[in-house]
Amino acid sequence: MDVTISPGPVGGTVPAPPSKSYTHRAILAAGCGQRAVVADPLWSADTRATARAVEAFGGAVERRTDGALEIQGFEGTPAVPADVIDCANSGTTMRLVTAIAALADGTTVLTGDESLRSRPQGPLLDALSELGATARSTRGNGQAPLIVDGSMAGGTVSIPGDVSSQYVTALLVAGALTDAGIDLRLETELKSAPYVEVTRELLADFGVETRETADGFAVAGGQSYHPADDTYAVPGDFSSISYLLAAGAVAGGDASGATAGTGEGTLEITGARPSAQGDSAIVEHVAEFGAPVEWDRDDGTLTIDPAPLSGIEVSVADTPDLLPTLAVLGAVADGETSIVDAEHVRYKETDRIDAMASELAKLGVETTEERDSLTVHGDESTLTGATVDGHGDHRIVMALAVAALVADGETTIRGAEHVDVSFPDFFDAFESLGVVVDRHE
């Protein structure tokens, strides 16, 4: 599907979509237990992949009419899957499920789409093999398809921290179900550290204890998964909130004639309650750009008014998913915006540094791309409508949609259907805020 977006103002109230990160972990944690209900989940292409994996291991996932998921788990002992587990485009699914596969008393094969089959899994495979399983890439390059033979006993293992925090998450989730537990030592500084805190927060909610050590993390074995009252409620997703906040910061200004602080063009986001999500840093970043934003943490409400923006320097070492949003804000801001500590952003669904540089160029934005950074020259740029490509990446599509709101002329985004990965109702949300969206094949 392609979409064409007409420039114009935004305003109104919109709910935050549920967190993809928490939903993945909640589905798998419930699957590792006996029975649980996951309330307010994100039901998207990625999280459906995790649900299918739970079913492949012998669990059952039923979606109720209220959207909640009733999950019958495999009680800490995953069955050997009857077929290959297809993780589609979900890197989180593949990494977490690969570790769970190491607990099965037999062979599990995992694969995914072309993009997922190009992403690095080698350090996790090596770690699982050191812990008593056998895990390898069919092509010997550390990439899917993967073959995992259990069962993993646990123990002490070292793993790099600067490739993906999902390796740490995977070992903590599975380690609780081993006999010996896992003492995980980081060989390098941990990138995207808040995602590990998301994992530890959720595991605690399911009754699983973890601890931070002097050189990494540890989880005791022999534990079981059981949330209080058999129910876990998923919080709102700040990665997805970032696009809504950015839209409020840029599209209520010149396009609407609104004045900052007057309430004209104000955008309100509900369901934005505090959690361990690192991407909640977007609230601070938007304020640093110069947009007046208020966060009622108790009520979970964000409000943002339009304002002239000025470029900033920001690190995405712990918040890689924010780079596309920050790049668009930089394109609208006066001066330069430097997004640094970003090399790991190249190993997502696509190389997001290169993708944003190339697509923003089509819209008339000047950028400078380095291996670990992206500098956006807002003062040298004039956003002009064009046809751009989403690179099969939900976050690129949504960021470009924000840019389209303030471009001169219509913007067509190819491959817009990929928003289904994390924010299936994204374009519906945009329309509810007054955006003109034309969907077409």
Side-chain angles (χ1 to χ4, degrees):
M1 178 184 74
D2 298 344
V3 299
T4 298
I5 295 177
S6 300
V10 298
T13 301
V14 63
S19 168
K20 182 163 77 83
S21 295
Y22 279 88
T23 301
H24 274 302
R25 290 159 173 77
I27 291 172
L28 198 57
C32 288
Q34 183 178 30
R35 178 191 176 277
V37 173
V38 178
D40 305 319
L42 177 72
W43 195 239
S44 70
D46 273 18
T47 59
R48 288 194 295 271
T50 296
R52 291 195 300 271
V54 166
E55 292 176 330
F57 287 132
V61 180
E62 180 181 350
R63 191 172 185 226
R64 301 190 320 204
T65 55
D66 63 357
L69 303 176
E70 287 194 4
I71 299 176
Q72 298 292 331
F74 46 81
E75 299 185 49
T77 306
V80 177
D83 201 353
V84 173
I85 295 179
D86 184 359
C87 301
N89 186 245
S90 178
T92 303
T93 303
M94 174 158 282
R95 287 164 178 158
L96 272 61
V97 169
T98 294
I100 295 298
L103 299 170
D105 188 16
T107 301
T108 302
V109 180
L110 304 96
T111 191
D113 66 10
E114 182 178 3
S115 171
L116 188 55
R117 294 196 305 273
S118 70
R119 297 173 69 176
Q121 317 294 345
L124 178 59
L125 300 179
D126 292 342
L128 295 174
S129 295
E130 289 183 36
L131 292 167
T134 302
R136 64 185 177 90
S137 160
T138 60
R139 295 177 288 168
N141 61 356
Q143 299 171 352
L146 309 179
I147 299 175
V148 182
D149 287 287
S151 57
M152 173 173 63
T156 299
V157 68
S158 297
I159 196 166
D162 58 352
V163 180
S164 175
S165 65
Q166 291 173 354
Y167 302 152
V168 178
T169 285
L171 293 171
L172 291 178
V173 172
L177 301 175
T178 63
D179 291 334
I182 293 177
D183 183 357
L184 194 159
R185 299 176 182 178
L186 296 172
E187 300 169 347
T188 55
E189 182 182 359
L190 180 63
K191 292 290 180 71
S192 304
Y195 285 99
V196 175
E197 292 310 308
V198 165
T199 300
R200 296 182 65 212
E201 177 186 270
L202 182 137
L203 292 183
D205 288 339
F206 274 82
V208 171
E209 295 183 0
T210 64
R211 68 182 190 277
E212 188 171 3
T213 64
D215 50 9
F217 299 91
V219 58
Q223 300 192 66
S224 59
Y225 283 83
H226 187 273
D229 301 322
D230 295 326
T231 300
Y232 177 82
V234 175
D237 192 314
F238 276 89
S239 304
S240 296
I241 286 171
S242 76
Y243 311 107
L244 303 174
L245 272 181
V250 304
D254 291 342
S256 67
T259 302
T262 66
E264 298 177 54
T266 296
L267 189 151
E268 182 180 79
I269 304 165
T270 60
R273 289 181 172 80
S275 67
Q277 294 175 74
D279 284 348
S280 63
I282 189 61
V283 179
E284 180 180 344
H285 296 329
V286 168
E288 290 170 346
F289 272 106
V293 56
E294 295 183 2
W295 186 9
D296 185 332
R297 288 169 169 78
D298 292 332
D299 188 51
T301 301
L302 283 161
T303 55
I304 185 164
D305 285 320
L309 306 182
S310 299
I312 65 172
E313 178 174 321
V314 57
S315 169
V316 292
D318 289 333
T319 54
D321 287 345
L322 294 184
L323 182 139
T325 309
L326 295 167
V328 169
L329 288 167
V332 178
D334 289 332
E336 289 188 353
T337 293
S338 296
I339 308 169
V340 300
D341 301 323
E343 182 174 0
H344 55 315
V345 186
R346 294 187 181 276
Y347 307 114
K348 295 292 185 175
E349 284 84 339
T350 189
D351 179 340
R352 287 179 177 159
I353 295 178
D354 182 73
M356 287 306 297
S358 63
E359 299 310 313
L360 286 176
K362 296 175 185 176
L363 294 171
V365 179
E366 297 291 332
T367 64
T368 300
E369 180 184 348
E370 302 290 347
R371 184 65 195 168
D372 64 347
S373 68
L374 179 65
T375 300
V376 184
H377 307 283
D379 52 352
E380 300 174 18
S381 305
T382 301
L383 277 164
T384 304
T387 296
V388 293
D389 189 89
H391 291 254
D393 188 320
H394 53 126
R395 304 209 182 280
I396 302 299
V397 172
M398 290 186 281
L400 293 173
V402 174
L405 297 176
V406 287
D408 182 10
E410 293 181 338
T411 297
T412 296
I413 306 171
R414 291 176 174 163
E417 72 275 5
H418 289 284
V419 298
D420 187 51
V421 166
S422 63
F423 196 164
D425 298 328
F426 174 75
F427 291 111
D428 292 337
F430 255 35
E431 288 176 320
S432 75
L433 297 172
V435 180
V436 177
V437 179
D438 177 26
R439 299 166 173 81
H440 46 94
E441 296 299 326

